Amino acid sequence: MSVLKETRFIMDKYHISANKNLGQNFLIDDETVLGIVNVANISKDDLVIEIGPGLGTLTKELLERAGQVTCIELDKRMIEILQDRFSMYNNFELINNDVLKVDLKEIIKKSNLANTKIVANLPYYITTPIIMKLLEERLEIQTITVMIQKEVADRLITKPGTGDTGAITYAINYYSEPKRVLEVPNTAFIPEPKVNSSVIQLQILKEPKVKVEDEAKLFDLIKTAFMQKRKTLVNGLANSNKYGTKEQIEQALTNLNIDLKIRPEKLALEQFAELSKVL
Ligand code: SAM
């Protein structure tokens, strides 16, 4: 049965309509489903953590390939469906909770499989907090393969210092090697979202790309700079009153050979790292 037919069948059987508040857009395109699981490169040596399994469209494919699939789903209605569909698989585990509240470290510690991979068609209303949680908790994971809004993907995979970036671009590039792996039109979902989507894959680095002693300071500096993105870096930081006087900030930039008129999005990750050491 095609994914579209299966989705319609399940939605009818359980009288399900998508809950917009939970970011529910169900995948209905066979090619996209296979595209995601293929690119995630899952084997029986892998624990897969799936965030927001919904009706279980990706889950079904993941269960066939992975050693273990642990799904985290907030919507109770989905829990009943997922249990009915997959309780006969002995590599299936289901957690009914908000992913932001789940102790992922504990799940990974419990597993005796060689690798852990995250796969998800993420709820778009909390894409950023979820990705930041996955990165900042320094989980022992190999890859994160997630569907997100195309515009957000553009910002996440852009190289820091090259234009349309945000504070999160630097975090992504600090912890991982990001790439876009699939473009997905809005017609691949029920209901159709207003925007197109992309699947991105983050290859988690064993060591962060730059070395700093105070990681928290580096990220605070970046966030502070991006709070006033339209201002020059000097003015943005000076206005925050956290990183010294305007003259001190200018002196630090001069010592690092950085243009005094530079805007935050033009700084490379390495330059922010150097700046965080001297400010
Ligand atoms: N994986 C399914 C698919 O591809 O068709 C559904 C994807 S849908 C975009 C996002 C899913 O995340 C929904 O099932 C929704 O209920 C779930 N969700 C929303 N907020 C969540 C949260 N805080 N924690 C866990 N799951 C959540």
Side-chain angles (χ1 to χ4, degrees):
M1 204 193 283
S2 71
V3 171
L4 171 62
K5 280 196 180 141
E6 205 167 36
T7 305
R8 288 223 170 102
F9 175 78
I10 296 170
M11 290 178 82
D12 280 351
K13 180 173 168 193
Y14 291 90
H15 310 292
I16 293 289
S17 55
N19 180 343
K20 276 200 182 151
N21 294 332
L22 288 180
Q24 290 180 349
N25 298 98
F26 302 118
L27 253 176
I28 50 160
D29 181 53
D30 298 79
E31 229 175 87
T32 307
V33 173
L34 284 181
I36 294 172
V37 285
N38 283 341
V39 97
N41 198 16
I42 309 292
S43 81
K44 289 287 169 193
D45 288 331
D46 297 335
L47 161 68
V48 174
I49 300 179
E50 190 194 357
I51 299 162
L55 305 169
T57 307
L58 284 169
T59 322
K60 189 176 157 195
E61 293 300 325
L62 295 171
L63 282 167
E64 294 297 334
R65 302 177 190 215
Q68 164 84 29
V69 181
T70 297
C71 293
I72 303 163
E73 172 59 59
L74 183 58
D75 188 348
K76 276 211 173 68
R77 302 173 309 158
M78 302 298 150
I79 299 299
E80 185 198 348
I81 298 171
L82 294 162
Q83 272 163 348
D84 284 356
R85 283 189 86 181
F86 304 127
S87 54
M88 73 283 210
Y89 283 85
N90 57 14
N91 60 343
F92 174 60
E93 188 192 13
L94 186 54
I95 297 169
N96 182 198
N97 202 347
D98 174 350
V99 65
L100 297 178
K101 295 187 184 148
V102 173
D103 185 347
L104 298 172
K105 268 208 174 110
E106 194 53 37
I107 295 175
I108 297 166
K109 208 167 98 189
K110 257 181 20 202
S111 155
N112 46 19
L113 293 164
N115 313 306
T116 301
K117 294 171 180 171
I118 310 280
V119 179
N121 171 14
L122 287 179
Y124 292 174
Y125 74 105
I126 44 167
T127 301
T128 304
I130 294 177
I131 294 181
M132 287 314 293
K133 173 183 166 88
L134 297 174
L135 295 174
E136 284 179 347
E137 290 189 358
R138 286 285 179 85
L139 304 170
E140 274 192 48
I141 55 180
Q142 277 65 49
T143 53
I144 300 175
T145 307
V146 284
M147 172 102 70
I148 59 177
Q149 206 174 314
K150 182 181 178 305
E151 275 174 18
V152 179
D154 292 344
R155 193 150 17 94
L156 298 195
I157 63 165
T158 305
K159 251 200 153 14
T162 60
D164 183 21
T165 58
I168 190 174
T169 316
Y170 290 83
I172 296 263
N173 280 274
Y174 179 78
Y175 294 110
S176 76
E177 199 67 67
K179 65 176 178 195
R180 189 193 318 265
V181 288
L182 279 181
E183 298 272 18
V184 184
N186 59 352
T187 49
F189 306 88
I190 291 180
E192 276 183 25
K194 288 202 178 74
V195 292
N196 289 329
S197 301
S198 295
V199 178
I200 61 165
Q201 187 167 65
L202 311 182
Q203 204 87 39
I204 305 299
L205 300 170
K206 289 210 161 55
E207 294 291 332
K209 227 171 261 170
V210 295
K211 274 211 160 54
V212 287
E213 262 169 37
D214 191 344
E215 220 170 68
K217 185 176 172 195
L218 169 64
F219 286 110
D220 184 74
L221 177 69
I222 293 173
K223 274 181 204 152
T224 306
F226 273 88
M227 270 177 202
Q228 305 194 37
K229 200 177 161 183
R230 284 177 212 297
K231 293 209 160 56
T232 61
L233 178 69
V234 172
N235 285 337
L237 292 181
N239 288 347
S240 77
N241 289 324
K242 285 202 298 194
Y243 289 99
T245 62
K246 188 169 177 184
E247 290 68 32
Q248 287 169 323
I249 298 165
E250 283 181 339
Q251 188 58 55
L253 290 186
T254 305
N255 292 346
L256 293 170
N257 277 329
I258 300 174
D259 182 356
L260 295 184
K261 296 247 169 310
I262 201 165
R263 290 182 191 278
E265 72 267 24
K266 293 290 178 205
L267 249 73
L269 177 60
E270 292 74 10
Q271 289 175 306
F272 266 120
E274 289 309 310
L275 205 51
S276 80
K277 290 177 196 166
V278 295
L279 280 182

